[in-house]
Structure formats: C-alpha cells, structure tokens
Amino acid sequence: MSRFNWLGNLAQDRRSVMTDLSGDEPCSTQDETANPERCEVEPEDRSDWSKDADRADLVHRIYDTALDNSLWPDMILRVFEVIEKTQADPVSKEDLLDIQRHFARALSLSEKMLALENSVELKDRLLDHLGISMIFLGEQGELISQKDRSDKQAYVPNPKFLPDRPEVQDMISASQQAEGPVIRAEPGGTMPAQILFSRRQMVSRSLPQGVAWVLVCVDKTAEQLADHVGQNFALTPAKTRLLAGFLRHGNLRRAAEDCGTSYETGRTYLKDICQSMGVRGQSELLQYILFSSPVIPNDSPANAETLKTRQVLQHDDGKTLEIFTLGAQSGYPLIMFDALTGGALDILGYPERYQPLLDRLGARLIIPCRPGTFRSSFRVQHSASDYAEDVAMISERLGLSRFSLLGYSYGSVAVLGAAHHLRDRVDRITLASVFYPNYVAPNWKEMDFFYQIASIIGRRWPGLLRRVIPFLANSILHNMDNFCDRAAARADCAHEEAILNAPMVRQRSRDMLEERISQGMDGLIQEYQLIAQPLDVDLGQITAPVQLFHGMCDRINPMGGAEALAQDLGQVRLHKLPDMGHAFIYAEWDWLLKAAMGQPFDIPAATRRGLLTSG
C-alpha cells in the first residue's frame, strides 16, 4: 500500500494513468511480476526511499497548483526531477504510479475550477461587451455590490452609473406602485439610462441574498436596441419604432404618442412584440433584451482595416486556412510564421503601425494561422514538413510565384520545414529568437519553462505534454500580468524587461492567445508536439540565404541552438544581439522587416527600447 494514501483514494485506472503521462504502455495491473524488466515487486524494506518528506512536499505542490495555476512552471520541473529519479530506481514503481495518480487527479480538479472561472469571466465580459452595468441594492436602496464593465470588482460603487440617493428612492417608490420595471432616462436624451427591477421581477435570475432591487445601466440608445431586436425578430418598422419609444420612456402611453398612434394600437404592437420574442409582459421583455447576447447589438464599429487584414482560404479537401495579410497586393510577399501566441507583429490590432514601412519596402506581409488556431480548421500534422502544404496552398490561391520566409521563435520550425520542400521558390530566410529542435541546451533546467516544455517534457513524456498545455494556456489567460511580471523579473536585460512590462504587449498577447485557442486546444497541443521532435528535413538542401538574429539575453531559446543551426545550415549569417532578449521583435520589428526583405538595415543600440514600447 502506498504511503501517500493518507491523502485519500484518488487513484484512477493504473493503465490509463501510465499511458496518458508517458505515452507508453504501462505495467500490467493483472500480473506485476510477469515482466521483471518493467515491473518490480515492492520490497518490504523501503529505507532507501529516504526522501518521504520531499515526496509529500511534491504531492502538496501538485494540489497547490490545482488551486493556483501560476505554480505550474515550478511544479512541472519538480515533477520531472522526481519522476526521472523514480524511473531510474526500479524499486519505486508503486510510488511513481501513486504520484502520477495524484497528478491526474489534480489536473481534473484544476480543469473543473478553470471551467468555473471561465463561466464567471464569460459573464463579466458579456457585460463589458454589451455595455451594461448592474448595481445591486438593498431594501432601503443601499448599495450591496456592483458588476460594471469599467470596474469588475464587487462592492465598489461607480458614481457614473449610481444615481443620487433621492433618485434611488424615487425609482424605488415608483417601482412599488408599478407592475413593471421603472425606467429613468437622461433628460433630453435618447438612452434608457437606468432600469430598476424589483426582486419579484427578477425571480428567474437567482439574485444574491439581501438584494431587493437591481439597477441596470445601459450605454446603448433605445434606437440601437430596438433596431437590433427588429432585425432579429423581423418586426415591422412601426413595431420597431414603438419598441424604441418604450425603451426610451418606460411608458407605453408616451411611446404610442411618440409614434403618433393610439394607446390601444401601442398595446397591440407591444403584445405582438412579446409574442414574437416568446416572453410575457414588460419585465420579461426588458430582461430578454438586456441579458440575451443574440439580441444585444455590438455597437463597436467594425475596424475596416482589421476586416481587410483577415482572409480565409480553402484547401482542396474543404479545410480552411486563415491568413493575416497587410500591404499592397502587388507587393513582394513575405510569409511569416509567428511564435505560438501569434502577436509579435500585431497587424490585426495596429495595422497603421506597420503599413507605412511595408509600403516603403514594397512588401506584402502574410501570416498563416496554424491548423486549429484562429479560424483555420484543425488538420493532423506529423512533422515540420507538413507546413509546406499550407505555404504552397497560400502561394497558389494568392498567385505567388516567389516569396521570402520570416520566422519568430517556435515559428522557426515551420519556416525550416516549408523552406526545405519549397526551396525552388524561396528567395531568402530570416529567423528571429531562433528555436532549433535538434539542439538541447545542457543547462536546460536554467532555461524558461516554455523551453523545458518544448525540448524536454514534450520529448520524454508526450502524454504529460497533452495534459499540461491546456492548463498552461488557461493559466496565462487568467494570470497574464503574473506571468509577465515573473518573466520581467527574471529578464537578463533592461530591453527585455521594458517590453514585458509594456501594458500594450500584455493586453494584446492575452487577446491574441484567447482568439488563437477559441476553437479549442488541439491546435496548440499539436504545435508543441511538432516542435518537440527533431526536424525531419535535410538542412543541407536549403539553398536560400539565411540570416539569424538572436538576443544574447534570451532565456527561452538558448543561443546555443542558434549557433548549432547556423553550423548545420552552412552559409548563414548569425547576428548576436547584445542586451536584447527573446521578445526583441516586439520593439525592433522595423529593421528586422528590412532585413527580411533584403534591404539595408542598421541594428540600433538596445537602449532605444524600440517603436512599440515607446508608442
């Protein structure tokens, strides 16, 4: 019996746990002595296992990580050390199995908590998207808590939306006399500024204890709300106008007067609207309009430049491939494979930043979205060579005869795979913050957690990789500032620290990662699986000139990998960038694009901090 059983019976099937975490078939649970080379009988004397305290500490770490996902990096490294030692000790198989059972259970707990956090965050972000603030009031109109798009912390009032105390009392008094919610519009305005619901009217919303009134504040005009409802439910123009008047005044008689119709006609219209929407009465009508996301319009105007930047192409088998593209269609094509988060050159968020330089260079930047990310269909890939299929399809659909390739960090793998198979069409290759999967740093334990995942965990325990990636991605989404703070604190140069501390970089990195995994985690997991294996291409057959740019303070991808790739490729120029780290591209993209286009460039001193962080 394992000595960790005091934590409770958390075991899963031994076979599934071992297979999932190691990728190999586990020891048989039917006869553990059948194969003495793989399974050992636990001896009675386990005095040589003298690190019980360390083992117990590891188990505690595993469950602590289930509560705080920011602990994943340190915990995974500790698990690696323990399992490596256990695998070398044949008498410790049962303890290894027990640790893995705890690990699997902790992952399950973490998944459930993350699902709950995602549900809560989704509601908060829905309020933000809809432009709605909700203020919860007690019996006397006292503030209990607030959920607000500009301040999502509970129990903090927002003076912008909270009326003066007399106005609160007036609305409460009116609500006590009215059958439906009370609407208080801004004088002379078109917006239903505040809508007060009683607890009785919100009976289906499961309000917190002590809440007697809910004050909902909306920043959509009555016309915006009514027009969107009219489109969704095919309302006639006359009914849409009446709905707008009702939302504006909260009074059917005044709404009918605004529309130049009789009160009885207005009642008929409102009854028809409720029937079309499947609701009963004014209270349900307002709640449906306010809290149903398909009904609420998104009044943020679509960014025309962003829409033009995104295109969806189609493979012959019907699978889609999204690309981001910026620059004149007649420009020379530069195809870039970004790092896993996909935002180093953020042409979606800030096309105006890159457009002038691309125009001067006569360049057209094209960024493919890997399978299963953004709006690209998931397709099974087996090696770096498979990326050539995407590049070939892009070339065919866009009519590109020749092009150059740019890769950042883990995008280096995709670039090398495509360059090998399409070498007759590639003019030049540029790689920044180089990742070379054929090289493993001897000091890998000192490298960043991302490198440890790609180069160590992914190779030795592919099953463990499949478990870790979803939780790591969710950890970053929920704790982007914590991750950036941690990375900035460990940065070896001021240039890297400045980039990681830039609010713009943090927010956009989170936004891009979130959209990248919007289809699920399969695409991201597959990317890590591909970069975790050695290249399947003959680098000696790549004939295009290659330039490598690598920060000497890079903690994610070691300089040794860039040096090894330069040696294996042959005719390569390696630029070692003093006082720059892994993320230098975020600030130094201007001269890097010139280099990728084969234009003259100068590398400025790292003290410049680049265009992004200063802007």
Side-chain angles (χ1 to χ4, degrees), residues 356-370:
L357 178 58
L358 292 173
D359 289 343
R360 290 198 301 272
L361 295 174
R364 181 184 185 187
L365 182 62
I366 302 168
I367 304 178
C369 301
R370 269 90 114 187

Side-chain angles (χ1 to χ4, degrees), residues 125-132 149 218-221 223-229 231-232 289-290 292-303 306-307:
R125 296 181 62 203
L126 177 61
L127 292 178
D128 182 51
H129 169 73
L130 303 181
I132 290 177
R149 67 189 190 116
V218 190
D219 67 358
K220 304 284 191 301
T221 68
E223 282 70 21
Q224 286 177 310
L225 294 171
D227 287 346
H228 199 73
V229 171
Q231 293 174 13
N232 276 272
I289 292 175
L290 291 174
S292 297
S293 57
V295 176
I296 298 295
N298 180 6
D299 64 350
S300 300
N303 187 315
T306 298
L307 292 177

Side-chain angles (χ1 to χ4, degrees), residues 229-288:
V229 171
Q231 293 174 13
N232 276 272
F233 294 95
L235 301 182
T236 65
K239 293 176 183 177
T240 301
R241 287 193 299 270
L242 180 90
L243 180 60
F246 176 73
L247 293 173
R248 183 162 51 250
H249 302 297
N251 184 289
L252 182 55
R253 193 174 299 278
R254 291 189 61 184
E257 291 174 358
D258 277 0
C259 296
T261 187
S262 68
Y263 175 69
E264 290 302 324
T265 300
R267 285 186 61 186
T268 301
Y269 283 173
L270 192 61
K271 181 178 179 180
D272 291 345
I273 293 170
C274 290
Q275 186 174 0
S276 297
M277 298 177 65
V279 299
R280 294 178 297 176
Q282 298 178 13
S283 178
E284 286 192 19
L285 173 65
L286 285 172
Q287 291 184 52
Y288 191 91

Side-chain angles (χ1 to χ4, degrees), residues 107-120:
L107 287 172
S108 176
L109 294 174
S110 179
E111 184 178 30
K112 292 177 181 177
M113 287 186 290
L114 281 172
L116 179 60
E117 291 177 14
N118 284 335
S119 175
V120 174

Side-chain angles (χ1 to χ4, degrees), residues 323-434:
I323 62 171
F324 307 151
T325 177
L326 187 66
Q329 291 190 8
S330 59
Y332 176 82
L334 175 62
I335 300 177
M336 177 192 183
F337 281 93
D338 204 344
L340 294 173
T341 52
L345 296 185
D346 190 4
I347 63 175
L348 289 188
Y350 304 98
E352 70 281 357
R353 175 180 293 125
Y354 307 97
Q355 183 79 58
L357 178 58
L358 292 173
D359 289 343
R360 290 198 301 272
L361 295 174
R364 181 184 185 187
L365 182 62
I366 302 168
I367 304 178
C369 301
R370 269 90 114 187
T373 67
F374 296 97
R375 292 186 292 178
S376 293
S377 302
F378 180 76
R379 292 184 298 109
V380 175
Q381 294 179 302
H382 302 284
S383 68
S385 297
D386 292 337
Y387 287 111
E389 181 181 351
D390 286 344
V391 176
M393 189 271 281
I394 292 171
S395 301
E396 179 183 346
R397 300 293 189 269
L398 301 183
L400 312 178
S401 57
R402 303 194 65 80
F403 49 85
S404 291
L405 295 171
L406 170 63
Y408 168 57
S409 188
Y410 297 143
S412 304
V413 173
V415 165
L416 293 171
H420 174 266
H421 290 277
L422 303 172
R423 51 189 174 274
D424 294 337
R425 304 172 65 181
V426 177
D427 291 324
R428 68 186 63 84
I429 301 169
T430 305
L431 300 180
S433 301
V434 180

Side-chain angles (χ1 to χ4, degrees), residues 20-83:
D20 285 348
L21 292 180
S22 69
D24 299 325
E25 187 70 5
C27 301
S28 169
T29 59
Q30 299 298 320
D31 184 0
E32 294 194 351
T33 62
N35 187 345
E37 294 183 358
R38 298 187 63 204
C39 305
E40 298 288 340
V41 178
E42 180 180 327
E44 294 184 6
D45 181 11
R46 298 183 61 195
S47 59
D48 59 337
W49 190 297
S50 59
K51 296 186 177 64
D52 286 350
D54 290 340
R55 300 286 168 168
D57 175 69
L58 172 58
V59 173
H60 280 295
R61 287 195 188 204
I62 291 174
Y63 288 98
D64 284 343
T65 303
L67 300 175
D68 181 1
N69 281 333
S70 66
L71 301 177
W72 272 108
D74 296 332
M75 189 276 295
I76 288 295
L77 187 59
R78 180 73 176 118
V79 168
F80 173 86
E81 294 173 349
V82 172
I83 293 182

